[in-house]
Amino acid sequence: MQQFSRQFSERLSLFNQDALLSTLTGIQHGVERESLRINPNGSLAQTDHPRALGSALTHHFITTDFAEPLLEFITPPESQSQRTIAQLSDTHKFTMGNIGDERLWPMSMPCYVSCEDDIRLAEYGSSNVGKMKHLYRQGLKNRYGSMMQTISGIHFNFSLPCDFWQAYLPHVTEEKGQAAISTAYFSMIRNYRRFCWLLPYLYGASPTMCRSFLGSQESNLSFRRFGKGSLYLPNSTSLRMSDLGYTNNEQSRLRICYNRLDTYIAALREAISTPSPQYEVFSGKKNGEFQQLNSNILQIENELYSPIRPKQPTISLEKPTDALDDRGVSYIEVRVMDVNPFSPVGISEQQMHFLDVFLLYCLLQPSAEFEMESYEETERNLNKTVLEGRKQGLMLERNGTAISLNEWGNEVMGEMLDIAKLLDKANQTNVYTEAVMKEKAAVNDPALTLSGQIVEALFGVGETLDNGQFGLQMAEKYRQHFQAAEYQVYDADFFKQQAEHSLKQQALQESEDAISFDEFMKQNFGV
């Protein structure tokens, strides 16, 4: 521990050089925000993806995720968090103006859904690629059920600029070029997994949900019922990240290695090529239609539910593992964030500032390679925090030794302040220190966390507010907000042009297909 502390201090001291410090202004981030379209009464919208929003297959900024009403808004890489929030705001404004009386559900756990058959799988047109995307979702439905796939989240993309790596890496490694960058990102990923319990503690925003999410299933969790049909798990922070959400039996036996890029790629490739007896039941066709892309443990790499992913942009039909193998890690994708219901766009600028500090902290901290026990320890800490994070005196594990969340959180925040000061100095601001100080207060008072604020909004004053009522109130508030908002970066004409271009691109893809879908499936998935 003392050696790691010394190494951390030595790495911090490197930023006394203005040449390295100045590169911190080039950190880039982007956001992917998911949100369900809902009817005015709070039920799930059954309408098609609005044509005015363009093609979900080819649009760069507005698409759909699992379900036809599950929108996903994507921002390009930017160095200024304020600009990213403004871009998200513009996308929300244009969308709200083109979905009629529908609203956007402002929470991670879905609105009231009467049954899974009400959840329409996303459609992407008649091209082979479009059919493949739809079929992938059919496979997810068969494997995990549709309800789980309607959970919404925030994905935060983060990368450091080339000049940072050129100035930093020679001081910490003898490795060169892209290989050294990928190794550094994997070092960051391991530390992220060690410390990422902190993010659902602070930003988990799903301690409650609609009873309809469970359907006829019973849960072994000690839920309390409230309102007309809502469930609350006391002390929880993020039901989205719990066993109710992104976990399943087949994936639980996967052992993805985060020590090196090559071992990570090898583990994923094995998962997408290893048949699963559990999924063989969906093999072949039913009523003339395929039921999944293949019967392997993972149909494709994106099926792996992980709180973080190393990423490299792909070209059409390129596998993510092939892109990583060819070109290394370009950025990382943080996937543990719930939608913030107190922000019109699902994430705040202050949260983005904190994430910048947190991820740079994960990079600069020395990062030992995982052994199985140390990796499983990170899993246990994350699970404890999502289910009991606001419990007084909650104990986590650090290198096999018990430590309270409060004590560990304060230690991490203290070290993060050093990172925040670097970012403030580089950017001539104080927003990074303010962000860390705000969340340090939440470490010491669970009521200040997002989940604590939601509990206060639902149970704090007067009559208990139903989970659905709360979501509807916030949805209507944001509908009015965006009606009155001004465009900041883009404008309506920009989005109309993007929509028209995306529809033409989809039509072009559909006209250029030279083989049948059956042949496409045989060539790409061996089915």
Side-chain angles (χ1 to χ4, degrees):
M1 291 294 290
Q2 287 182 344
Q3 180 187 359
F4 276 14
S5 179
R6 184 175 67 253
Q7 288 179 331
F8 179 59
S9 297
E10 290 171 351
R11 292 177 180 184
L12 285 177
S13 68
L14 296 174
F15 292 88
N16 292 329
Q17 305 170 30
D18 289 341
L20 182 54
L21 183 70
S22 64
T23 67
L24 297 181
T25 62
I27 292 174
Q28 291 203 311
H29 16 55
V31 170
E32 302 166 28
R33 187 263 165 101
E34 300 163 345
S35 182
L36 288 166
R37 288 186 288 113
I38 62 168
N39 297 312
N41 66 358
S43 61
L44 187 65
Q46 297 298 314
T47 51
D48 293 342
H49 181 70
R51 185 174 177 83
L53 301 183
S55 165
L57 178 66
T58 55
H59 202 296
H60 293 302
F61 306 110
I62 303 173
T63 183
T64 52
D65 195 82
F66 171 80
E68 189 74 352
L70 182 52
L71 291 170
E72 183 173 2
F73 302 141
I74 303 167
T75 69
E78 297 285 355
S79 58
Q80 296 297 319
S81 299
Q82 184 179 19
R83 183 174 174 86
T84 296
I85 296 295
Q87 290 168 330
L88 275 175
S89 178
D90 290 347
T91 309
H92 281 72
K93 177 175 175 60
F94 181 77
T95 299
M96 291 302 305
N98 287 279
I99 59 174
D101 287 336
E102 294 174 358
R103 279 86 164 144
L104 297 181
W105 186 245
M107 305 173 77
S108 276
M109 298 304 287
C111 61
Y112 172 76
V113 181
S114 59
C115 67
E116 289 208 324
D117 290 340
D118 284 349
I119 302 170
R120 296 179 55 196
L121 300 186
E123 300 282 355
Y124 298 96
S126 60
S127 69
N128 286 332
V129 171
K131 289 178 180 178
M132 179 200 71
K133 288 173 70 73
H134 177 80
L135 178 57
Y136 169 57
R137 285 151 177 78
Q138 180 66 52
L140 294 177
K141 175 182 178 179
N142 290 333
R143 293 172 175 220
Y144 316 119
S146 293
M147 196 69 78
M148 190 188 87
Q149 304 296 323
T150 60
I151 299 174
S152 300
I154 292 283
H155 298 166
F156 182 79
N157 300 321
F158 175 95
S159 66
L160 288 147
C162 291
D163 57 353
F164 168 83
W165 295 120
Q166 290 169 359
Y168 174 73
L169 288 174
H171 297 283
V172 297
T173 181
E174 294 181 358
E175 207 170 8
K176 306 291 184 183
Q178 180 58 49
I181 295 173
S182 295
T183 297
Y185 273 125
F186 267 82
S187 174
M188 174 195 287
I189 287 169
R190 290 193 300 277
N191 275 337
Y192 171 90
R193 293 198 68 107
R194 291 181 174 102
F195 302 123
C196 76
W197 52 265
L198 186 59
L199 297 183
Y201 172 77
L202 296 171
Y203 297 139
S206 50
T208 62
M209 67 179 186
C210 180
R211 176 66 179 83
S212 69
F213 181 82
L214 292 179
S216 59
Q217 299 178 15
E218 292 299 322
S219 172
N220 59 357
L221 299 177
S222 302
F223 282 112
R224 294 181 186 173
R225 293 175 178 261
F226 71 98
K228 296 178 181 178
S230 300
L231 297 177
Y232 166 51
L233 187 64
N235 296 319
S236 66
T237 63
S238 178
L239 294 176
R240 168 182 169 265
M241 291 298 297
S242 72
D243 284 345
L244 293 172
Y246 295 103
T247 57
N248 67 90
N249 291 332
E250 277 289 51
Q251 287 199 30
S252 65
R253 66 186 179 92
L254 289 177
R255 291 295 179 260
I256 304 298
C257 180
Y258 294 92
N259 288 337
R260 301 195 314 271
L261 176 60
D262 59 345
T263 55
Y264 174 82
I265 291 172
L268 264 184
R269 284 175 170 167
E270 181 178 1
I272 63 174
S273 60
T274 301
S276 162
Q278 182 178 338
Y279 301 143
E280 283 286 347
V281 66
F282 306 118
S283 294
K285 291 185 176 182
K286 180 179 179 182
N287 299 325
E289 300 290 338
F290 290 111
Q291 296 300 296
Q292 58 185 356
L293 295 178
N294 53 56
S295 58
N296 297 330
I297 295 173
L298 301 178
Q299 298 173 89
I300 57 177
E301 292 95 330
N302 287 348
E303 192 173 333
L304 176 69
Y305 298 129
S306 172
I308 190 168
R309 285 179 183 166
K311 299 294 289 276
Q312 171 64 242
T314 58
I315 57 177
S316 180
L317 292 179
E318 184 182 30
K319 292 180 179 179
T321 47
D322 290 344
L324 285 170
D325 200 10
D326 289 344
R327 302 185 294 281
V329 182
S330 175
Y331 65 98
I332 58 101
E333 179 186 47
V334 171
R335 300 171 54 83
V336 78
M337 301 285 289
D338 283 359
V339 174
N340 180 351
F342 300 108
S343 165
V345 297
I347 186 172
S348 70
E349 191 176 344
Q350 182 268 328
Q351 284 179 285
M352 293 181 67
H353 292 147
F354 182 84
L355 287 169
D356 279 352
V357 178
F358 178 77
L359 292 169
L360 190 57
Y361 173 74
C362 290
L363 175 68
L364 296 183
Q365 277 282 3
S367 179
E369 291 193 351
F370 278 136
E371 296 181 359
M372 187 53 62
E373 174 54 31
S374 56
Y375 172 78
E376 290 177 348
E377 182 180 90
T378 70
E379 291 281 280
R380 292 192 295 270
N381 285 336
L382 181 60
N383 291 334
K384 281 184 181 180
T385 307
V386 301
L387 293 177
E388 303 179 277
R390 285 179 291 109
K391 178 181 178 181
Q392 186 174 5
L394 179 67
M395 302 301 289
L396 303 179
E397 304 168 60
R398 184 172 65 182
N399 301 322
T401 302
I403 183 171
S404 72
L405 184 151
N406 177 268
E407 180 184 353
W408 196 0
N410 275 293
E411 285 184 18
V412 170
M413 288 293 185
E415 292 175 324
M416 283 179 61
L417 275 174
D418 292 329
I419 308 292
K421 290 172 184 175
L422 291 177
L423 285 165
D424 280 337
K425 183 177 180 182
N427 291 277
Q428 298 183 342
T429 183
N430 57 7
V431 295
Y432 297 98
T433 298
E434 289 175 353
V436 173
M437 292 303 295
K438 179 178 182 294
E439 303 309 350
K440 188 174 188 295
V443 165
N444 295 299
D445 183 358
L448 299 177
T449 64
L450 283 187
S451 58
Q453 293 176 53
I454 290 171
V455 170
E456 175 64 22
L458 294 176
F459 306 119
V461 233
E463 188 178 353
T464 296
L465 188 63
D466 186 83
N467 190 70
Q469 291 175 310
F470 174 71
L472 267 179
Q473 286 181 10
M474 301 302 281
E476 174 59 20
K477 175 183 175 181
Y478 296 145
R479 186 178 75 91
Q480 295 179 20
H481 167 84
F482 288 117
Q483 284 177 340
E486 298 289 339
Y487 284 108
Q488 302 173 63
V489 179
Y490 308 126
D491 58 23
D493 287 341
F494 170 84
F495 286 111
K496 289 175 183 177
Q497 291 168 7
Q498 290 292 317
E500 291 170 4
H501 177 72
S502 68
L503 291 167
K504 289 178 181 177
Q505 289 296 112
Q506 177 180 326
L508 181 63
Q509 287 193 26
E510 291 171 350
S511 69
E512 289 182 339
D513 278 341
I515 58 175
S516 68
F517 187 58
D518 281 14
E519 183 62 27
F520 175 89
M521 287 290 292
K522 184 178 180 180
Q523 288 184 10
N524 289 279
F525 298 99
V527 178

